[in-house]
Amino acid sequence: METRTLIATNADKAERKIKTMLESARVVNEKLSILYEVEGMEPLKSKEEAIEFLRDPATGLEKKIVESFGGDFNSGKRKLNGKVLAGLYNIPFDDILSNFRHISYATVTNCDLDKKGFFTVNKETETAIYEEMKDYIESEAEEKAFQLQKDMADAVTNYIKVFDKLEFPLYENQRAAFEYLGIETGLKDGEIILQPDIRYIRRRLNDESKQKTFLERVKKFN
């Protein structure tokens, strides 16, 4: 195929991911605000520095104290000690550090850092997430497999509607069957439906030889 075909925007998934990122940023920012309450403390200047700070808060805090308050003592001949400087400036080193002991940097690795040193999700990142969540058909094999899976998902959805109604939580045998068929659940008009999963299809058709075999088999049924 020369062009990709958009089959789903998955905007709800993008919104959930952004919401989760913003909540993670809020939790970390609450702790960073304690750091920045120290008068004269320099903010974290880049995302890389911020992640490194969260990865090793003790070392990061010493570095920020030296950076922020060591100018008058840095003769270039001796390495300054951040904890000693903290004592000289009445900075509660251990109290600040205690706020970061249970904070994971992993939760904000996909976030951005603003000019004030706080984590956020900027518009460019939001746009990229919405694009990342979109599903496209990118080959003839994917197109044919997607249609096969869609026909199957629609048929199973209609079959279940005759005898029952799909509701969460799904029965264990339902979950196992859907997982085996590679179809996922979705919502339409307030009801659970089954729908094709292009990412599952792409995993199954992950090399040219499998795509060729698949297309040859499809031809036998046409």
Side-chain angles (χ1 to χ4, degrees):
M1 296 179 66
E2 295 183 359
T3 59
R4 300 190 301 170
T5 303
L6 177 65
I7 56 175
T9 61
N10 297 317
D12 56 334
K13 293 182 181 179
E15 289 166 2
R16 286 198 298 271
K17 181 173 182 177
I18 292 169
K19 184 177 180 181
T20 298
M21 291 169 63
L22 288 171
E23 176 59 21
S24 298
R26 183 193 66 79
V27 172
V28 174
N29 289 341
E30 284 184 354
K31 306 304 180 182
L32 290 177
S33 66
I34 296 171
L35 173 68
Y36 299 152
E37 284 176 358
V38 177
E39 186 176 354
M41 184 71 74
E42 291 288 333
L44 297 163
K45 293 181 174 63
S46 68
K47 177 179 174 179
E48 290 73 19
E49 182 186 10
I51 294 296
E52 189 58 36
F53 180 93
L54 297 174
R55 191 193 302 269
D56 185 358
T59 301
L61 182 55
E62 284 202 57
K63 287 181 178 179
K64 291 312 293 183
I65 290 173
V66 170
E67 176 189 336
S68 304
F69 304 96
D72 294 336
F73 300 92
N74 194 354
S75 63
K77 298 179 181 179
R78 181 181 301 176
K79 183 178 180 180
L80 296 177
N81 186 301
K83 294 194 73 172
V84 172
L85 280 177
L88 291 175
Y89 285 90
N90 295 317
I91 299 170
F93 187 95
D94 291 332
D95 288 345
I96 293 174
L97 187 61
S98 67
N99 289 282
F100 293 93
R101 288 204 174 100
H102 302 293
I103 293 293
S104 172
Y105 69 89
T107 61
V108 290
T109 51
N110 293 322
C111 295
D112 307 293
L113 198 79
D114 66 20
K115 293 180 179 180
K116 295 182 179 180
F118 290 105
F119 283 97
T120 186
V121 180
N122 63 36
K123 291 299 181 183
E124 291 79 7
T125 298
E126 285 191 12
T127 299
I129 291 171
Y130 276 103
E131 183 59 36
E132 171 194 343
M133 290 298 173
K134 291 179 180 178
D135 286 331
Y136 293 88
I137 291 174
E138 299 180 342
S139 70
E140 180 187 0
E142 287 184 5
E143 183 176 27
K144 291 184 179 298
F146 180 84
Q147 189 59 52
L148 280 172
Q149 201 179 52
K150 184 179 186 306
D151 292 342
M152 175 179 62
D154 290 345
V156 174
T157 297
N158 292 333
Y159 175 84
I160 292 175
K161 282 182 178 180
V162 172
F163 295 99
D164 204 346
K165 183 180 179 181
L166 279 178
E167 293 180 324
F168 282 122
L170 296 173
Y171 294 116
E172 184 176 345
N173 60 342
Q174 288 177 328
R175 290 199 306 271
F178 301 156
E179 181 178 347
Y180 173 76
L181 296 172
I183 52 181
E184 61 180 6
T185 57
L187 282 175
K188 184 177 182 181
D189 300 326
E191 290 189 1
I192 299 173
I193 62 168
L194 302 179
Q195 56 192 22
D197 183 354
I198 189 62
R199 299 179 191 220
Y200 168 85
I201 291 170
R202 190 165 293 132
R203 289 195 298 271
R204 293 294 301 271
L205 302 172
N206 60 1
D207 61 54
E208 291 184 3
S209 62
K210 288 186 178 181
Q211 288 192 28
K212 183 178 179 180
T213 301
F214 169 77
L215 290 172
E216 289 173 350
R217 289 176 178 174
V218 169
K219 288 179 182 178
K220 295 179 181 180
F221 294 94
N222 291 338

